[in-house]
């Protein structure tokens, strides 16, 4: 592995160099173990500690299948799906691997007693399987996390509708929180040249997710002048939604939970901000069994105070159960609540009178199709949207990195160095970087 790292750090990107590198028999990876899926039984979600379930193991390098690429991973990042995997909620991901393993001979590789996690990466291609023509050893890449088989017609117009659609590193094995990773070659995209390895790795999942959810015709189709309420506006998803709204000429109303997070939103250019902790909103009673519509109304009043009397056109929803009733209430008549994930719970409740009688729309969104992921990455490369990396850990510290995200003790994205020996490496276009240095560093150590 040292030879691979040294070749990458040398700056040599010739195909011959990487094609001639020996691939080691094993590599280090962040894993959860199948025999530990019950380790947190009886604990509340908030008390489950990823530091106990995430391990750094030496694992064998799998056989490369047709259409796949083996990538030397310089850096990765933490997403909430890694938190879910590490606390075995809402279900153990080993069920995903077992079902996938039954679909083909090559898929059997994924059904293992350990799950290598992680749905982001930035690195260098080492090998490609049969049938891969676009990508060669030595190319710098990032990867999006959409894994599909494309054998069914349902996915041919929108790859997210493929019946065999999976999220790499969550519903498949061999993810990005490791020194090596295996991806389908059509997951690969060019690494933005002005970013370090950890900066380039951090946008992948959340940037693409926010793009489909907010911008794409498959999502809310945000337009110039729209007012959009963004929950968790300084977090992993929300920080990209906030940037996209501003870049598109819309008006974000940013919901955050602290003055520090409010300042991050101001630094991005947002002006309308709600600190939900300072306002003391309490949408549910103490035992979380009944909602308080008066609190929805109070939130709606606050929004109208900020917007000069207007309700929002779009609600960018991802907390789920805790906020969904309020989200449905505050959207304007005919407005849209677009939802993905559910970090506070999947069983949403809302008053259907406010939806049905006011002709509102609830729209679901999940990650992004191939084209949307490519377009989202191009926004990063063009300097229209910037990484929101706030802190970077080493691979050995991956449990703490996941705990930060689990406890919402972070801003933006949390990065993880895998093969890269230190932060800040991998920039190949410093002149381009200089144009965006302040924006790239906005979240640093926030």
């Amino acid at each position: 592995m040292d030879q691979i790292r040294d070749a990458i750090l040398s700056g040599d990107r010739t195909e011959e160099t990487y094609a001639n590198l020996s691939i080691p028999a094993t590599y280090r990876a962040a894993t959860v173990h199948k025999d530990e899926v019950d380790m947190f039984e009886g604990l509340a979600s908030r008390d489950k500690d990823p530091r106990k379930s995430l391990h750094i193991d030496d694992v064998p390098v799998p056989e490369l299948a047709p259409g796949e690429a083996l990538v030397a991973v310089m850096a990765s990042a933490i997403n909430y799906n890694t938190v879910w995997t590490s606390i075995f909620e809402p279900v153990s991901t080993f069920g995903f691997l077992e079902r996938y393993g039954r679909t083909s001979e090559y898929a059997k590789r994924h059904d293992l007693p350990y799950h290598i996690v992680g749905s982001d990466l930035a690195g260098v291609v080492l090998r490609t399987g049969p049938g891969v023509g676009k990508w060669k050893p030595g190319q710098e890449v990032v990867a999006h996390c959409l894994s599909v088989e494309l054998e069914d017609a349902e996915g041919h117009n929108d790859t997210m509708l493929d019946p065999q659609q999976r999220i790499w590193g969550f519903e498949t094995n061999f993810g990005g929180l490791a020194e090596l990773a295996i991806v389908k070659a059509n997951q690969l995209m060019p690494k933005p040249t002005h970013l370090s390895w950890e900066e380039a790795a951090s946008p992948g999942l959340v940037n693409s997710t926010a793009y489909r959810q907010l911008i794409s015709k498959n999502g809310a189709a945000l337009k110039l002048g729209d007012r959009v309420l963004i929950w968790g506006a300084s977090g992993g998803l929300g920080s990209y939604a906030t940037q996209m709204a501003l870049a598109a000429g819309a008006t974000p109303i940013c919901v955050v939970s602290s003055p520090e997070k409010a300042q991050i939103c101001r630094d991005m250019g947002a002006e309308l901000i709600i600190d939900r902790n300072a306002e003391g909103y309490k949408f549910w009673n103490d035992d979380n069994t009944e909602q308080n519509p008066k609190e929805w109304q109070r939130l709606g009043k606050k929004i109208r105070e900020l917007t000069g009397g207007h309700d929002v056109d779009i609600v960018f929803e991802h907390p789920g159960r805790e906020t969904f009733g309020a989200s449905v209430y505050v959207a304007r008549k005919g407005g849209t609540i677009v939802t993905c994930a559910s970090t506070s719970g999947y069983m949403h409740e809302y008053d259907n009178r406010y939806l049905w009688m006011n002709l509102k729309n609830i729209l679901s969104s999940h990650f992004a199709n191939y084209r949307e992921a490519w377009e989202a990455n191009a926004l990063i490369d063009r300097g229209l949207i910037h990484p929101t990396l706030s802190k970077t850990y080493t691979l050995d510290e991956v449990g703490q990195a996941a705990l930060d995200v689990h406890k919402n003790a972070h801003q933006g994205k949390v990065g993880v160095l895998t093969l890269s020996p230190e932060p800040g490496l991998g920039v190949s276009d410093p002149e381009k970087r200089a144009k965006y240095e302040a924006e790239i560093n906005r979240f640093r150590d926030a």
Side-chain angles (χ1 to χ4, degrees), residues 107 181 322 406:
E322 183 180 353
H406 183 33

Side-chain angles (χ1 to χ4, degrees), residues 73-78 117-122 176-178 197-198 201-202 414-418:
V73 184
M74 296 300 280
S76 185
I78 302 295
V117 296
S119 299
D120 286 322
L121 71 72
L177 284 163
W197 295 114
E198 65 276 12
S202 65
V414 175
V416 177
L417 299 178
T418 47

Side-chain angles (χ1 to χ4, degrees), residues 366-440:
H366 180 41
F367 188 59
N369 64 33
Y370 283 158
R371 182 64 185 175
E372 290 159 345
W374 192 277
E375 289 173 353
N377 186 60
L379 295 178
I380 300 284
D381 187 52
R382 293 169 63 189
L384 296 172
I385 302 294
H386 304 284
T388 63
L389 185 69
S390 61
K391 191 171 185 178
T392 302
Y393 288 93
T394 66
L395 184 59
D396 288 321
E397 299 168 318
V398 70
Q400 182 62 51
L403 183 66
D404 284 3
V405 176
H406 183 33
K407 298 297 186 182
N408 196 29
H410 71 300
Q411 305 265 37
K413 284 298 293 288
V414 175
V416 177
L417 299 178
T418 47
L419 278 175
S420 183
E422 60 185 78
L425 303 179
V427 177
S428 56
D429 191 343
E431 184 177 347
K432 180 180 176 183
R433 181 184 180 85
K435 292 190 251 181
Y436 307 117
E437 191 79 43
E439 290 86 352
I440 292 168

